[in-house]
Amino acid sequence: MTETPRPAPALELDHVSRWYGNVVAVNDISFGLGAGVTGLLGPNGAGKSTLLHLMAGLLAPSAGRVLVEGASAWRRPEMYRHIGLVPERETVHSFLTGLEFARLNARLQGVADPDAAARAIATVELNDAANRPIGTYSKGMRQRAKIAGALVHEPTILLLDEPFNGMDPRQRLHMMTLLRSMAAAGRTILFSSHILEEVERLADSVLVVYAGRLAAAGDFRSIRRLMTDRPHTFTVSSSDDRRLASALMADASVFGAELVNSRVAIRTADYEAFTRALPQIARVTGVTLFEVAPTDDSLESVFSYLVRR
């Protein structure tokens, strides 16, 4: 039986490095992205913006290849038909209205549809302020104007650098819903953020960059489970916590169990072995499990571990 060939990634970095003199901003990074939402994480100075600029064709790699839809991103203007870029820096002329800015981007992209700009403004919910100068906008509104400019030609790839800056909670929720729907329609979306909750709520997968290197890539829960040199902690609620804790301590996968706030806190160095053993031990001891929850299976735990190890 022949396997169905996997589609080529929309965005691909192949052993990419970028340096400025003796300063290495990006160091031998490789990954490929297809449809979906990917979060780009890292502390300030980690290389996130440099990576986005490389993918947007604004920087040439010092080594390696950056490919967009299978072809080089550098010095290939036709690539911009596929890409929408929202930079972190304020790049919006304050004297233009929101609608004029969207129309300018439509003209630059060669969009013939006269309604494209108005449609992009409506998509980011800026209709009420469409004819006001951008200089009168709040920071969150300016962010939405930038996103409208990036969406006006309906790109298949979106690169967003800190897109939620300045947005209020309702605007953030709307933008997350919009990005999810675009990803579900087959778009490739990569966004950087320093707010872990945003990434955890929105991203299908994460890229963690630290000191110019790719520290981890994939679903953050899977990354956490691969951290075999760091113990996992679970809280378990059951019909008899004391009996369960005693039985679990006899299992080789468990090296700590204590009663905390009417629950059992379990420490294990072997995630898979513990999750296999727990239901068997509960059945043998006659204990009913009500809830099992990993207390450190979060993006915050993954990120703090990766940047400190």
Side-chain angles (χ1 to χ4, degrees), residues 7-248:
L11 271 173
E12 185 176 6
L13 271 68
D14 180 20
H15 296 285
V16 169
S17 297
R18 171 71 193 195
W19 53 79
Y20 304 90
N22 293 326
V23 178
V24 179
V26 170
N27 192 351
D28 194 28
I29 287 182
S30 297
F31 61 80
L33 300 179
V37 183
T38 301
L40 180 60
L41 273 172
N44 289 337
K48 301 191 300 296
S49 293
T50 300
L51 273 175
L52 287 169
H53 290 164
L54 285 163
M55 286 181 270
L58 302 179
L59 287 174
S62 303
R65 299 183 304 158
V66 179
L67 304 177
V68 173
E69 301 291 357
S72 174
W74 178 241
R75 290 184 173 175
R76 193 168 64 89
E78 61 271 24
M79 174 196 77
Y80 293 104
R81 295 286 183 266
H82 302 286
I83 281 187
L85 172 66
V86 180
E88 182 181 13
R89 293 178 181 174
E90 294 293 343
T91 54
V92 183
H93 298 298
S94 60
F95 58 85
L96 294 175
T97 68
L99 185 57
E100 287 171 341
F101 179 71
R103 284 174 176 160
L104 172 63
N105 280 274
R107 287 179 61 192
L108 290 170
Q109 292 287 356
V111 177
D113 184 352
D115 298 323
R119 195 161 51 245
I121 288 291
T123 298
V124 299
E125 295 190 332
L126 269 180
N127 281 339
D128 291 344
N131 295 307
R132 277 172 41 197
I134 290 176
T136 67
Y137 285 10
S138 68
K139 184 173 180 59
M141 293 169 70
R142 291 196 300 273
Q143 285 291 96
R144 285 186 284 154
K146 286 157 59 178
I147 293 171
L151 291 176
V152 73
H153 60 298
E154 299 186 357
T156 55
I157 299 168
L158 267 180
L159 304 175
L160 306 106
D161 200 353
E162 299 284 353
F164 302 105
N165 276 356
M167 291 187 186
D168 63 33
R170 189 193 66 80
Q171 293 166 352
R172 285 175 186 238
L173 181 61
H174 170 260
M175 193 55 60
M176 287 184 178
T177 302
L178 173 63
L179 294 176
R180 283 195 203 99
S181 67
M182 293 171 69
R187 284 188 168 100
T188 300
I189 299 171
L190 176 66
F191 76 101
S192 73
S193 178
H194 64 284
I195 300 176
L196 298 177
E197 182 187 3
E198 289 178 352
V199 180
E200 195 160 10
R201 290 176 62 187
L202 178 59
D204 303 312
S205 59
V206 295
L207 300 170
V208 182
V209 181
Y210 183 67
R213 291 183 176 275
L214 187 62
D219 173 76
F220 65 85
R221 294 177 184 86
S222 300
I223 296 169
R224 175 64 185 92
R225 289 165 196 169
L226 292 173
M227 296 177 189
T228 55
D229 56 344
R230 185 180 180 213
H232 297 259
T233 305
F234 291 80
T235 56
V236 180
S237 175
S238 73
S239 59
D240 192 334
D241 293 337
R242 196 172 294 276
R243 186 195 305 176
L244 180 64
S246 177
L248 285 170

